[in-house]
Amino acid sequence: VAPLVEVWGFGLSQRDAVTDIIIDSILQFVGYEKVSLKHNRLVKEDNRLTINFNAIAQGYAVDYIGTYLRSKGITSFLIDVGGEVLASGTKPNDIPWRIAIEKPSDDLPAARDLSDSYVQKYAQVIINISNRAVATSGDYRTFYLNEEGIKVSHTINPKTGKPVDHSLLSATVITDNCAKADAWATAFMVLGVDSAKKLLKTNDELEGFLIYSDNNGHTVTYATENIKRQLEEITREK
């Protein structure tokens, strides 16, 4: 999908006008089925095909650090790389780690912080968790407004070649591996609410928390059953 990421202005290239003709020409060398592994070598069907690992890079880094810490006999820790998290063991007071899920908003501060005031103002819920990985994808931090003032998301649908445009605002996935959680969260953002719910209901490895807009434009949430028991609602200060 990397060529599409570039042409839409979310890579290293300078953003330029995008037309259907340009997208159609790029789609010829987009798609995971055009890449394979043979004898530990990456083989591409088309030399123009390039790969963007952004959807799993942070999750993979978290897993790598976790493996290193466990190799040193450290079993209680919380690793956070750009919002992708691995929670192992418990906090020193023997209670689960608390992971805040942000409210999707276009006016969030550029940087997150750990203060109670930030959580109070910008968090949607808190998930209490141990020995699990958590990854969240959304379209509310990385986007731009085009010439018509329309929001352009950084999440690209590889089938259409265009940024996603649906009601799913944020997808959080909880599983045993952060790279896997990272990948599924991104996939859900591409697929949309209905498909994400269906996959969460049929895949026993995954738990999830979705934030989306209903038909009336109200923000609503969906949580899988196990996660419902671990959610901590935030009481807003008056």
Side-chain angles (χ1 to χ4, degrees):
V1 78
L4 291 170
V5 174
E6 291 292 332
V7 77
W8 282 104
F10 295 105
L12 300 176
S13 303
Q14 185 174 354
R15 189 169 77 240
D16 204 349
V18 184
T19 65
D20 288 341
I21 294 175
I22 292 174
I23 292 173
D24 288 344
S25 66
I26 293 174
L27 284 174
Q28 299 175 52
F29 49 94
V30 165
Y32 73 91
E33 70 281 357
K34 297 180 174 66
V35 185
S36 60
L37 282 173
K38 294 181 181 178
H39 308 295
N40 291 322
R41 298 185 67 185
L42 185 70
V43 179
K44 302 187 293 183
E45 289 184 5
D46 191 312
N47 287 334
R48 296 171 296 175
L49 190 147
T50 54
I51 300 173
N52 183 309
F53 290 99
N54 196 44
I56 61 170
Q58 293 176 163
Y60 179 84
V62 168
D63 291 330
Y64 195 90
I65 297 168
T67 298
Y68 174 78
L69 292 179
R70 287 181 176 127
S71 74
K72 300 299 181 181
I74 302 169
T75 57
S76 292
F77 53 78
L78 183 73
I79 303 168
D80 179 346
V81 177
E84 319 305 357
V85 173
L86 177 61
S88 179
T90 61
K91 297 170 70 173
N93 48 4
D94 203 33
I95 63 173
W97 298 99
R98 300 169 75 241
I99 312 299
I101 306 301
E102 285 180 329
K103 291 187 298 182
S105 173
D106 295 346
D107 60 357
L108 285 170
R112 303 173 178 91
D113 68 51
L114 303 178
S115 68
D116 291 339
S117 60
Y118 181 92
V119 172
Q120 176 69 219
K121 186 174 182 180
Y122 297 111
Q124 180 82 33
V125 294
I126 291 173
I127 299 177
N128 293 284
I129 203 160
S130 297
N131 300 317
R132 301 287 274 171
V134 183
T136 298
S137 289
D139 65 356
Y140 52 91
R141 277 195 173 271
T142 308
F143 65 92
Y144 62 85
L145 299 178
N146 66 13
E147 291 75 11
E148 290 77 36
I150 299 173
K151 182 177 177 180
V152 179
S153 169
H154 77 290
T155 304
I156 311 297
N157 186 329
K159 288 190 174 182
T160 66
K162 298 179 180 180
V164 297
D165 180 20
H166 50 55
S167 61
L168 184 56
L169 305 173
S170 170
T172 297
V173 174
I174 300 96
T175 186
D176 59 343
N177 175 285
C178 202
K180 184 193 301 181
D182 207 356
W184 275 110
T186 302
F188 287 169
M189 286 304 302
V190 173
L191 291 168
V193 176
D194 293 339
S195 294
K197 286 182 179 180
K198 183 177 180 180
L199 281 164
L200 285 170
K201 290 175 181 177
T202 56
N203 192 325
D204 293 336
E205 293 184 8
L206 308 177
E207 298 291 341
F209 182 78
L210 309 177
I211 306 175
Y212 58 98
S213 298
D214 65 14
N215 293 332
N216 297 317
H218 299 139
T219 300
V220 291
T221 63
Y222 168 85
T224 51
E225 289 302 316
N226 286 341
I227 291 303
K228 286 181 181 178
R229 294 189 286 269
Q230 300 172 57
L231 291 181
E232 181 182 326
E233 296 293 337
I234 296 172
T235 304
R236 306 291 175 191
E237 295 178 351
K238 301 287 178 124

